């Protein structure tokens, strides 16, 4: 019978498992100390199709999940029977992909008779900041920018967030991916736009991602993406050459500058001294530089997860799993995968 010990260990050893998209990942933490983080990615396979094919992702997770968990336990030098809990992403993401990690985690939790902790993937991205500094404590202002979400949050406590503003259409990462396609760059798009942008200059006039004259702080990436498409197509129709590196660089400025500006403004207005960030777009070197410098100028502390913990990984899932475990938020074995879950 499954009746796990729910007495909370203040320094638990937690295995995190992530399989929401194309990375199969596992990590082990002991308290806030990260012991291992392993990833097996199907990105190269997906690149052949220009994006993530859900069926291929699910099959790849099935092949990789056992191996990646073994590696994470081995690198951490922890045997499975020393685990206090298994934390696993249950959403948001591709259903078939999520079910692979979730079913594996359930089987492990059941066989070891330890708690299962279901983790919201986006909360995982936000918890990557705790991997930088184990002493880090809210409140912060947090910039979230991933493939599916873009928002500025007031992180009031480990478990309590207020959305200060966000996108009203596409997410920033999605815009990077779409612009990559327009510029003929391979999947994964974001990092390739960044590479190309390094060779160009901010010379093309594009609309800022910040929505003007809105009563709420709002961003729009759909309009910006369309402006990029128009800039490229109109130039082609006029028989003019438009430098793709300049387009990439100008787009990067229009997409990122307002996020940086507004994040710092929010921290100043709220009197919060720390800025954190999470999500795949935070791996962008230009964003990291701009946000770090803007925080320095404003006298704010800027805590950015390492690049490898911005894109999908299991260390962030273990980190958020720890927060939920310490709050006693355990999940039943009947926990289902969810394609979409609200952030707060
Ligand atoms: O957080 P993430 O790995 O997955 C989601 O949970 O959505 O974010 C993936 C997104 C993709 O849209 C990708 O293009 C973007 O993050 N991304 C980047 C960079 N690396 C990943 N965008 C801009 N610059 C990068 N270096
Ligand atoms: Zn993600």
């Amino acid at each position: 019978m499954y009746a796990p010990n729910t007495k909370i260990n203040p320094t638990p050893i937690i295995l995190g498992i992530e399989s929401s998209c194309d990375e199969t990942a596992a990590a082990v933490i002991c308290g806030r100390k990260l012991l291992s983080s392993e990833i097996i990615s199907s990105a190269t396979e997906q690149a052949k199709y220009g994006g993530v094919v859900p069926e291929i992702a699910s099959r790849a997770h099935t092949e990789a999940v056992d191996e990646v968990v073994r590696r994470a336990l081995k690198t951490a030098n922890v045997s499975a029977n020393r685990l206090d809990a298994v934390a696993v992403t249950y959403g948001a993401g591709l259903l078939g992909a999520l079910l692979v990690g979730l079913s594996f985690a359930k089987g492990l939790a059941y066989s070891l008779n330890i708690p299962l902790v279901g983790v919201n993937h986006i909360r995982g991205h936000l918890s990557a900041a705790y991997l930088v500094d184990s002493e880090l404590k809210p409140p912060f202002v947090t910039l979230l920018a991933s493939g599916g979400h873009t928002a500025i949050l007031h992180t009031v406590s480990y478990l309590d967030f207020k959305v200060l503003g966000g996108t009203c259409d596409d997410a920033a990462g999605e815009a990077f991916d779409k612009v990559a396609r327009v510029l003929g760059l391979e999947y994964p798009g974001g990092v390739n736009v960044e590479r190309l942008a390094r060779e160009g200059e901010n010379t093309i006039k594009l609309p800022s991602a910040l929505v003007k004259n809105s009563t709420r702080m709002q961003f729009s990436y759909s309009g910006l993406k369309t402006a990029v498409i128009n800039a490229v197509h109109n130039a082609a129709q006029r028989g003019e050459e438009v430098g793709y590196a300049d387009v990439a660089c100008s787009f990067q400025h229009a997409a990122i500058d307002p996020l940086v500006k507004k994040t710092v403004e929010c921290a100043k207005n709220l009197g919060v001294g720390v800025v954190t960030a999470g999500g795949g777009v935070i791996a962008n070197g230009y964003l990291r530089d701009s946000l770090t410098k803007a925080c320095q100028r404003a006298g704010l502390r800027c805590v950015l997860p390492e690049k490898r913990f911005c894109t999908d990984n299991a260390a962030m899932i273990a980190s958020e799993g720890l927060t939920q475990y310490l709050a006693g938020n355990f999940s039943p074995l009947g926990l289902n995968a969810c394609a979409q879950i609200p952030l707060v």
Side-chain angles (χ1 to χ4, degrees):
M1 199 184 66
Y2 178 62
N5 180 4
T6 49
K7 195 165 159 276
I8 290 164
N9 174 356
T11 320
I13 301 181
I14 297 180
L15 170 72
I17 299 177
E18 155 65 31
S19 72
S20 66
C21 192
D22 57 350
E23 323 283 1
T24 322
V28 179
I29 56 168
C30 176
R32 287 267 169 228
K33 190 174 185 311
L34 181 66
L35 303 182
S36 66
S37 176
E38 300 285 332
I39 296 184
I40 299 177
S41 175
S42 65
T44 320
E45 178 69 10
Q46 309 283 2
K48 293 181 201 159
Y49 304 92
V52 179
V53 180
E55 172 69 17
I56 293 176
S58 307
R59 285 170 186 266
H61 289 309
T62 307
E63 283 166 19
V65 66
D66 182 58
E67 174 61 21
V68 87
V69 167
R70 270 176 212 280
R71 282 190 205 167
L73 290 171
K74 187 157 183 262
T75 311
N77 201 15
V78 163
S79 60
N81 57 19
R82 284 181 57 211
L83 294 173
D84 290 289
V86 184
V88 62
T89 307
Y90 72 97
L94 303 168
L95 271 184
L98 287 163
L99 283 169
V100 177
L102 183 57
S103 306
F104 190 94
K106 285 181 186 178
L108 200 57
Y110 181 84
S111 64
L112 296 169
N113 206 27
I114 56 174
L116 176 76
V117 179
V119 170
N120 174 340
H121 179 84
I122 295 300
R123 293 261 188 132
H125 276 301
L126 303 178
S127 281
Y130 300 117
L131 298 166
V132 182
D133 173 2
S134 57
E135 302 296 315
L136 186 69
K137 288 187 179 66
F140 330 118
V141 163
T142 305
L143 172 59
L144 166 66
S146 72
H149 290 79
T150 298
I152 298 175
L153 309 166
H154 182 192
T155 304
V156 181
S157 71
Y158 290 107
L159 295 162
D160 185 16
F161 303 85
K162 289 194 168 57
V163 179
L164 302 172
T167 180
C168 57
D169 42 51
D170 293 353
E174 199 177 345
F176 266 90
D177 295 334
K178 286 177 178 167
V179 165
R181 242 171 265 151
V182 175
L183 300 179
L185 301 170
E186 264 189 23
Y187 174 86
V191 69
N192 287 327
V193 171
E194 182 190 351
R195 272 193 207 118
L196 186 62
R198 273 190 233 127
E199 296 161 24
E201 285 181 49
N202 180 14
T203 50
I204 295 163
K205 206 168 157 24
L206 294 171
S208 157
L210 183 70
V211 177
K212 295 208 178 71
N213 306 322
S214 163
T215 46
R216 295 187 302 130
M217 178 174 49
Q218 271 195 331
F219 301 91
S220 164
Y221 283 93
S222 168
L224 175 57
K225 170 207 68 190
T226 308
V228 169
I229 295 173
N230 289 344
V232 170
H233 289 180
N234 293 348
Q237 273 172 359
R238 288 196 298 266
E240 291 168 12
E241 285 241 331
V242 57
Y244 277 14
D246 291 342
V247 174
C249 181
S250 307
F251 161 73
Q252 195 168 254
H253 275 270
I256 288 173
D257 293 352
L259 290 179
V260 169
K261 183 167 173 269
K262 285 289 164 189
T263 302
V264 170
E265 246 176 57
C266 287
K268 286 206 293 199
N269 291 345
L270 288 167
V272 171
V274 181
V275 164
T276 64
V281 181
I282 310 298
N284 183 283
Y286 171 70
L287 185 153
R288 298 173 76 85
D289 251 32
S290 314
L291 188 57
T292 305
K293 286 182 185 144
C295 285
Q296 267 167 5
R297 282 196 297 273
L300 302 168
R301 181 175 175 215
C302 181
V303 180
L304 301 181
E306 278 178 48
K307 286 187 185 187
R308 66 187 172 123
F309 298 138
C310 290
T311 44
D312 289 349
N313 67 89
M316 68 183 200
I317 302 305
S319 178
E320 174 62 12
L322 174 69
T323 296
Q324 298 298 336
Y325 171 92
L326 293 175
N329 291 336
F330 304 136
S331 306
L333 284 188
L335 177 69
N336 208 345
C338 296
Q340 292 190 339
I341 348 179
L343 176 62
V344 287

